[in-house]
Amino acid sequence: MVEPVSQNADEDGPERPEDQERSGGRRGSHRRGKSEKKRSFWKELPILIGIALVLTILIQAFLAKVYMIPSGSMEATLHGCPGCTGDRILVDRVTYDFKDPSPGDVIVFKGPPAWTENEIAPQESSNIVVRALRGLGSLVGFAPPDERDFVKRVVATAGQTVQCCDDRNRVIVDGKALDEPYIHWEDPNHPVQESFAPVKVPQGALWVMGDNRNNSADSRYQGGGGPNGAVPVDDVIGKARIIVLPPGRWGGISDHNPQENAQPVALGAPAWQQGLPLGLGVATAVPVFYGGRRLKAGLRKAAGRRR
């Protein structure tokens, strides 16, 4: 008697050549699928780059931006000296949405009209590609920023009176000599800064100066100096926080408050004014002396007549 063949005999039995070809075909198609996925990465790469650029623009527009230091006015806190690699700094754009800048903060700001009205505008290349590359480089901090953006340190704020200097060559704010350990002297043998008359900082403005005190076009000179040299708070872009490049310069940026340990000073008057009290004393001593003698003599005569 012949036993019936099970319906699953084909599945349980040895694989036929046709089945091997079919399964091999399936494995081959699976391998081809993997290779296609690898190739699809290159199709996605431009999209990834585009997303990264958009995120970079949004972050730098609203949260933080990288700036390149183009000059030496903030030496040695920030490098920008001729012939050296300029520092790239990360500027916090959020902090000043909640408070105003404080003394000692290193800030980046748009040059107000008094600072830029006499400047020659930077020459733009006529090549669209060059301009686009420069703009992109500036955006991510690998090219100099707009030449009308500045970086300085806040020395005094609205309502304060600032002047220079006391007998120890220190800037004075509201009658107190500032503590400024960050000042850089290009000539260590001549650590003297140019004096200027008292200036009351206008409301809504800041008095800013460079750490490289004798090589900085700051509030002392811009707009002719005085109140015109002050920077409106509304023009402040953000607070310089970190040096991000070059790698050897990585680190935070000092925001030492020069007013915290300021020392009261007695402001000296010019020599000719200091001599006024003595001259006045001598000038009045003579008439007072002789007037006293005459008064005494007159009193004696009056007393003699009564007798």
Side-chain angles (χ1 to χ4, degrees):
M1 179 181 289
V2 179
E3 295 182 1
V5 178
S6 169
Q7 294 179 357
N8 296 327
D10 290 342
E11 296 178 7
D12 298 334
E15 190 173 354
R16 291 179 296 179
E18 298 91 334
D19 296 331
Q20 291 177 359
E21 290 178 3
R22 284 197 296 270
S23 62
R26 286 195 296 271
R27 286 196 292 268
S29 64
H30 183 62
R31 285 195 294 269
R32 285 196 298 272
K34 286 186 176 179
S35 63
E36 288 175 1
K37 287 183 179 178
K38 287 182 180 179
R39 286 197 299 270
S40 68
F41 169 77
W42 298 106
K43 296 179 181 179
E44 293 176 357
L45 183 59
I47 299 174
L48 294 174
I49 294 175
I51 293 174
L53 286 176
V54 170
L55 290 175
T56 299
I57 293 171
L58 292 175
I59 289 171
Q60 297 212 70
F62 299 103
L63 299 179
K65 184 173 182 178
V66 176
Y67 278 85
M68 178 179 176
I69 303 301
S71 72
S73 67
M74 284 296 292
E75 292 285 345
T77 303
L78 300 175
H79 282 358
C81 53
C84 70
T85 301
D87 286 342
R88 273 73 167 177
I89 59 173
L90 185 67
V91 176
D92 171 7
R93 306 192 67 157
V94 178
T95 295
Y96 297 142
D97 289 338
F98 303 97
K99 67 172 187 176
D100 287 340
S102 303
D105 289 358
V106 176
I107 61 171
V108 172
F109 56 93
K110 296 180 296 183
W115 288 52
T116 60
E117 60 187 359
N118 295 323
E119 287 192 354
I120 299 175
Q123 296 295 320
E124 290 285 349
S125 172
S126 58
N127 190 311
I128 295 178
V129 175
V130 172
R131 284 188 307 196
L133 290 175
R134 187 189 183 283
L136 180 61
S138 176
L139 183 65
V140 296
F142 288 98
D146 185 336
E147 292 183 10
R148 299 191 176 193
D149 290 345
F150 298 83
V151 56
K152 305 291 180 189
R153 190 181 296 271
V154 178
V155 171
T157 56
Q160 294 186 315
T161 299
V162 57
Q163 67 184 100
C164 186
C165 298
D166 69 351
D167 56 2
R168 293 174 56 186
N169 194 44
R170 297 175 297 181
V171 174
I172 301 165
V173 174
D174 289 344
K176 294 183 178 181
L178 300 184
D179 171 37
E180 298 189 280
Y182 43 73
I183 291 181
H184 173 71
W185 305 110
E186 291 191 334
D187 183 0
N189 297 319
H190 188 66
V192 179
Q193 53 186 321
E194 185 176 344
S195 62
F196 58 91
V199 179
K200 185 171 183 179
V201 183
Q203 290 300 317
L206 305 165
W207 186 268
V208 298
M209 300 173 73
D211 289 358
N212 191 357
R213 198 50 56 88
N214 290 335
N215 187 18
S216 175
D218 47 41
S219 291
R220 296 170 293 174
Y221 311 109
Q222 297 286 0
N228 287 338
V231 175
V233 174
D234 290 342
D235 287 342
V236 175
I237 295 172
K239 180 178 180 178
R241 291 284 189 183
I242 303 171
I243 299 173
V244 294
L245 285 174
R249 294 270 299 158
W250 284 346
I253 298 171
S254 166
D255 58 358
H256 175 83
N257 186 346
Q259 297 186 21
E260 187 173 357
N261 296 316
Q263 300 176 356
V265 294
L267 299 180
W272 68 271
Q273 294 181 5
Q274 293 178 354
L276 284 177
L278 178 61
L280 184 61
V282 172
T284 57
V286 174
V288 169
F289 175 75
Y290 285 105
R293 291 182 63 178
R294 289 182 180 180
L295 179 60
K296 186 176 180 181
L299 291 175
R300 286 178 179 176
K301 288 182 181 179
R305 291 194 193 99
R306 289 178 183 176
R307 288 175 185 172

